[in-house]
PDB file of all heavy atoms in Angstrom:
ATOM      1  N   GLY A   8      22.399  30.989 -93.929  1.00  0.00           N
ATOM      2  CA  GLY A   8      23.462  29.924 -93.925  1.00  0.00           C
ATOM      3  C   GLY A   8      22.904  28.687 -93.250  1.00  0.00           C
ATOM      4  O   GLY A   8      21.778  28.647 -92.761  1.00  0.00           O
ATOM      5  N   THR A   9      23.787  27.664 -93.190  1.00  0.00           N
ATOM      6  CA  THR A   9      23.431  26.415 -92.577  1.00  0.00           C
ATOM      7  C   THR A   9      23.943  26.390 -91.135  1.00  0.00           C
ATOM      8  O   THR A   9      23.264  25.850 -90.270  1.00  0.00           O
ATOM      9  CB  THR A   9      23.988  25.232 -93.407  1.00  0.00           C
ATOM     10  OG1 THR A   9      23.644  25.348 -94.734  1.00  0.00           O
ATOM     11  CG2 THR A   9      23.474  23.899 -92.887  1.00  0.00           C
ATOM     12  N   THR A  14      30.849  28.894 -86.725  1.00  0.00           N
ATOM     13  CA  THR A  14      32.294  28.959 -86.505  1.00  0.00           C
ATOM     14  C   THR A  14      32.727  30.372 -86.212  1.00  0.00           C
ATOM     15  O   THR A  14      31.955  31.348 -86.344  1.00  0.00           O
ATOM     16  CB  THR A  14      33.080  28.481 -87.773  1.00  0.00           C
ATOM     17  OG1 THR A  14      32.838  29.474 -88.763  1.00  0.00           O
ATOM     18  CG2 THR A  14      32.556  27.165 -88.250  1.00  0.00           C
ATOM     19  N   GLY A  16      34.441  32.050 -88.088  1.00  0.00           N
ATOM     20  CA  GLY A  16      34.316  32.784 -89.317  1.00  0.00           C
ATOM     21  C   GLY A  16      32.900  33.446 -89.457  1.00  0.00           C
ATOM     22  O   GLY A  16      32.787  34.592 -89.852  1.00  0.00           O
ATOM     23  N   HIS A  17      31.871  32.615 -89.117  1.00  0.00           N
ATOM     24  CA  HIS A  17      30.513  33.173 -89.181  1.00  0.00           C
ATOM     25  C   HIS A  17      30.358  34.339 -88.173  1.00  0.00           C
ATOM     26  O   HIS A  17      29.679  35.349 -88.445  1.00  0.00           O
ATOM     27  CB  HIS A  17      29.487  32.045 -88.831  1.00  0.00           C
ATOM     28  CG  HIS A  17      29.463  30.911 -89.793  1.00  0.00           C
ATOM     29  ND1 HIS A  17      29.597  29.623 -89.394  1.00  0.00           N
ATOM     30  CD2 HIS A  17      29.292  30.834 -91.115  1.00  0.00           C
ATOM     31  CE1 HIS A  17      29.547  28.798 -90.457  1.00  0.00           C
ATOM     32  NE2 HIS A  17      29.369  29.547 -91.517  1.00  0.00           N
ATOM     33  N   LYS A  41      21.984  18.813 -97.226  1.00  0.00           N
ATOM     34  CA  LYS A  41      23.022  18.271 -96.328  1.00  0.00           C
ATOM     35  C   LYS A  41      22.358  17.596 -95.148  1.00  0.00           C
ATOM     36  O   LYS A  41      21.359  18.079 -94.668  1.00  0.00           O
ATOM     37  CB  LYS A  41      23.907  19.434 -95.842  1.00  0.00           C
ATOM     38  CG  LYS A  41      24.636  20.254 -96.858  1.00  0.00           C
ATOM     39  CD  LYS A  41      25.322  21.431 -96.221  1.00  0.00           C
ATOM     40  CE  LYS A  41      25.980  22.320 -97.259  1.00  0.00           C
ATOM     41  NZ  LYS A  41      26.651  23.476 -96.738  1.00  0.00           N
ATOM     42  N   GLY A  71      13.126  27.255 -98.156  1.00  0.00           N
ATOM     43  CA  GLY A  71      12.804  27.889 -99.438  1.00  0.00           C
ATOM     44  C   GLY A  71      13.895  28.851 -99.775  1.00  0.00           C
ATOM     45  O   GLY A  71      15.059  28.670 -99.378  1.00  0.00           O
ATOM     46  N   LEU A  72      13.540  29.840-100.571  1.00  0.00           N
ATOM     47  CA  LEU A  72      14.562  30.788-101.075  1.00  0.00           C
ATOM     48  C   LEU A  72      15.008  31.901-100.071  1.00  0.00           C
ATOM     49  O   LEU A  72      14.191  32.379 -99.330  1.00  0.00           O
ATOM     50  CB  LEU A  72      14.026  31.491-102.311  1.00  0.00           C
ATOM     51  CG  LEU A  72      13.761  30.581-103.541  1.00  0.00           C
ATOM     52  CD1 LEU A  72      13.082  31.410-104.634  1.00  0.00           C
ATOM     53  CD2 LEU A  72      15.023  29.967-104.081  1.00  0.00           C
ATOM     54  N   GLN A  73      16.295  32.225-100.165  1.00  0.00           N
ATOM     55  CA  GLN A  73      16.754  33.297 -99.288  1.00  0.00           C
ATOM     56  C   GLN A  73      16.079  34.635 -99.497  1.00  0.00           C
ATOM     57  O   GLN A  73      15.896  35.443 -98.648  1.00  0.00           O
ATOM     58  CB  GLN A  73      18.265  33.384 -99.294  1.00  0.00           C
ATOM     59  CG  GLN A  73      18.875  33.547-100.627  1.00  0.00           C
ATOM     60  CD  GLN A  73      20.429  33.692-100.524  1.00  0.00           C
ATOM     61  OE1 GLN A  73      20.909  34.810-100.676  1.00  0.00           O
ATOM     62  NE2 GLN A  73      21.193  32.641-100.300  1.00  0.00           N
ATOM     63  N   ARG A  87      26.595  38.124 -97.251  1.00  0.00           N
ATOM     64  CA  ARG A  87      27.326  36.843 -97.490  1.00  0.00           C
ATOM     65  C   ARG A  87      28.771  37.078 -97.270  1.00  0.00           C
ATOM     66  O   ARG A  87      29.268  38.154 -97.451  1.00  0.00           O
ATOM     67  CB  ARG A  87      27.043  36.410 -98.939  1.00  0.00           C
ATOM     68  CG  ARG A  87      25.676  36.081 -99.264  1.00  0.00           C
ATOM     69  CD  ARG A  87      25.188  34.801 -98.701  1.00  0.00           C
ATOM     70  NE  ARG A  87      25.786  33.604 -99.251  1.00  0.00           N
ATOM     71  CZ  ARG A  87      25.891  32.484 -98.653  1.00  0.00           C
ATOM     72  NH1 ARG A  87      25.331  32.321 -97.464  1.00  0.00           N
ATOM     73  NH2 ARG A  87      26.440  31.458 -99.208  1.00  0.00           N
ATOM     74  N   ARG A  90      35.102  33.922 -98.559  1.00  0.00           N
ATOM     75  CA  ARG A  90      36.371  33.474 -97.943  1.00  0.00           C
ATOM     76  C   ARG A  90      37.545  33.471 -98.865  1.00  0.00           C
ATOM     77  O   ARG A  90      38.645  33.937 -98.581  1.00  0.00           O
ATOM     78  CB  ARG A  90      36.201  32.064 -97.395  1.00  0.00           C
ATOM     79  CG  ARG A  90      35.258  32.010 -96.183  1.00  0.00           C
ATOM     80  CD  ARG A  90      34.860  30.605 -95.870  1.00  0.00           C
ATOM     81  NE  ARG A  90      34.174  30.019 -97.083  1.00  0.00           N
ATOM     82  CZ  ARG A  90      33.913  28.734 -97.200  1.00  0.00           C
ATOM     83  NH1 ARG A  90      34.259  27.921 -96.211  1.00  0.00           N
ATOM     84  NH2 ARG A  90      33.300  28.313 -98.223  1.00  0.00           N
ATOM     85  N   THR A 119      35.858  37.565 -95.543  1.00  0.00           N
ATOM     86  CA  THR A 119      36.137  36.979 -94.258  1.00  0.00           C
ATOM     87  C   THR A 119      37.537  37.330 -93.745  1.00  0.00           C
ATOM     88  O   THR A 119      38.465  37.391 -94.570  1.00  0.00           O
ATOM     89  CB  THR A 119      35.993  35.414 -94.327  1.00  0.00           C
ATOM     90  OG1 THR A 119      34.771  35.137 -94.969  1.00  0.00           O
ATOM     91  CG2 THR A 119      36.076  34.739 -93.010  1.00  0.00           C
ATOM     92  N   LEU A 126      38.268  28.311 -93.264  1.00  0.00           N
ATOM     93  CA  LEU A 126      37.367  27.582 -92.338  1.00  0.00           C
ATOM     94  C   LEU A 126      36.070  27.256 -93.013  1.00  0.00           C
ATOM     95  O   LEU A 126      35.504  27.995 -93.716  1.00  0.00           O
ATOM     96  CB  LEU A 126      37.110  28.512 -91.154  1.00  0.00           C
ATOM     97  CG  LEU A 126      36.606  27.966 -89.866  1.00  0.00           C
ATOM     98  CD1 LEU A 126      37.414  26.779 -89.410  1.00  0.00           C
ATOM     99  CD2 LEU A 126      36.663  29.063 -88.773  1.00  0.00           C
ATOM    100  N   SER A 127      35.498  26.037 -92.647  1.00  0.00           N
ATOM    101  CA  SER A 127      34.153  25.703 -93.019  1.00  0.00           C
ATOM    102  C   SER A 127      33.573  24.789 -91.924  1.00  0.00           C
ATOM    103  O   SER A 127      34.326  24.151 -91.188  1.00  0.00           O
ATOM    104  CB  SER A 127      34.081  24.992 -94.333  1.00  0.00           C
ATOM    105  OG  SER A 127      34.506  23.661 -94.251  1.00  0.00           O
ATOM    106  N   SER A 128      32.270  24.729 -91.900  1.00  0.00           N
ATOM    107  CA  SER A 128      31.632  23.924 -90.880  1.00  0.00           C
ATOM    108  C   SER A 128      31.994  22.420 -91.112  1.00  0.00           C
ATOM    109  O   SER A 128      32.126  21.712 -90.127  1.00  0.00           O
ATOM    110  CB  SER A 128      30.120  24.060 -90.944  1.00  0.00           C
ATOM    111  OG  SER A 128      29.791  25.409 -90.663  1.00  0.00           O
ATOM    112  N   SER A 129      32.102  22.016 -92.397  1.00  0.00           N
ATOM    113  CA  SER A 129      32.406  20.580 -92.586  1.00  0.00           C
ATOM    114  C   SER A 129      33.794  20.271 -92.136  1.00  0.00           C
ATOM    115  O   SER A 129      34.077  19.125 -91.656  1.00  0.00           O
ATOM    116  CB  SER A 129      32.113  20.179 -94.022  1.00  0.00           C
ATOM    117  OG  SER A 129      32.640  21.036 -94.892  1.00  0.00           O
TER     118      SER A 129
HETATM  119  N1  COA B 201      33.347  31.505 -92.039  1.00  0.00           N
HETATM  120  C1  COA B 201      33.468  30.155 -91.917  1.00  0.00           C
HETATM  121  N2  COA B 201      32.826  29.361 -92.736  1.00  0.00           N
HETATM  122  C2  COA B 201      32.050  29.869 -93.711  1.00  0.00           C
HETATM  123  C3  COA B 201      31.925  31.183 -93.949  1.00  0.00           C
HETATM  124  C4  COA B 201      32.617  32.098 -93.028  1.00  0.00           C
HETATM  125  N3  COA B 201      32.544  33.411 -93.138  1.00  0.00           N
HETATM  126  N4  COA B 201      31.165  31.469 -94.994  1.00  0.00           N
HETATM  127  C5  COA B 201      30.781  30.260 -95.391  1.00  0.00           C
HETATM  128  N5  COA B 201      31.273  29.284 -94.654  1.00  0.00           N
HETATM  129  C6  COA B 201      31.205  27.849 -94.810  1.00  0.00           C
HETATM  130  C7  COA B 201      29.857  27.288 -94.323  1.00  0.00           C
HETATM  131  O1  COA B 201      29.937  26.922 -93.022  1.00  0.00           O
HETATM  132  C8  COA B 201      29.728  26.120 -95.267  1.00  0.00           C
HETATM  133  O2  COA B 201      30.422  25.059 -94.781  1.00  0.00           O
HETATM  134  P1  COA B 201      29.963  23.569 -95.148  1.00  0.00           P
HETATM  135  O3  COA B 201      29.714  23.477 -96.561  1.00  0.00           O
HETATM  136  O4  COA B 201      31.138  22.852 -94.689  1.00  0.00           O
HETATM  137  O5  COA B 201      28.737  23.312 -94.318  1.00  0.00           O
HETATM  138  C9  COA B 201      30.391  26.537 -96.539  1.00  0.00           C
HETATM  139  O6  COA B 201      31.303  27.525 -96.159  1.00  0.00           O
HETATM  140  C10 COA B 201      29.471  27.055 -97.587  1.00  0.00           C
HETATM  141  O7  COA B 201      28.874  28.161 -97.039  1.00  0.00           O
HETATM  142  P2  COA B 201      27.542  28.754 -97.661  1.00  0.00           P
HETATM  143  O8  COA B 201      27.676  28.972 -99.094  1.00  0.00           O
HETATM  144  O9  COA B 201      27.169  29.910 -96.791  1.00  0.00           O
HETATM  145  O10 COA B 201      26.631  27.523 -97.447  1.00  0.00           O
HETATM  146  P3  COA B 201      25.617  27.273 -96.414  1.00  0.00           P
HETATM  147  O11 COA B 201      25.215  25.883 -96.542  1.00  0.00           O
HETATM  148  O12 COA B 201      26.064  27.723 -95.078  1.00  0.00           O
HETATM  149  O13 COA B 201      24.416  28.256 -96.847  1.00  0.00           O
HETATM  150  C11 COA B 201      22.578  29.016 -98.141  1.00  0.00           C
HETATM  151  C12 COA B 201      23.894  28.253 -98.096  1.00  0.00           C
HETATM  152  C13 COA B 201      21.683  28.552 -97.056  1.00  0.00           C
HETATM  153  C14 COA B 201      22.867  30.486 -97.896  1.00  0.00           C
HETATM  154  C15 COA B 201      21.965  28.906 -99.538  1.00  0.00           C
HETATM  155  O14 COA B 201      22.037  27.531 -99.903  1.00  0.00           O
HETATM  156  C16 COA B 201      20.488  29.295 -99.552  1.00  0.00           C
HETATM  157  O15 COA B 201      20.156  30.375 -99.272  1.00  0.00           O
HETATM  158  N6  COA B 201      19.624  28.321 -99.963  1.00  0.00           N
HETATM  159  C17 COA B 201      18.266  28.606-100.062  1.00  0.00           C
HETATM  160  C18 COA B 201      17.781  28.523-101.512  1.00  0.00           C
HETATM  161  C19 COA B 201      18.271  29.745-102.230  1.00  0.00           C
HETATM  162  O16 COA B 201      17.808  30.856-102.050  1.00  0.00           O
HETATM  163  N7  COA B 201      19.264  29.511-103.088  1.00  0.00           N
HETATM  164  C20 COA B 201      19.765  30.608-103.914  1.00  0.00           C
HETATM  165  C21 COA B 201      19.066  30.676-105.158  1.00  0.00           C
HETATM  166  S1  COA B 201      19.947  31.624-106.346  1.00  0.00           S
END
Side-chain angles (χ1 to χ4, degrees):
T9 309
T14 67
H17 298 126
K41 301 173 183 180
L72 294 173
Q73 54 177 257
R87 298 286 293 157
R90 290 167 301 170
T119 308
L126 198 49
S127 77
S128 299
S129 46

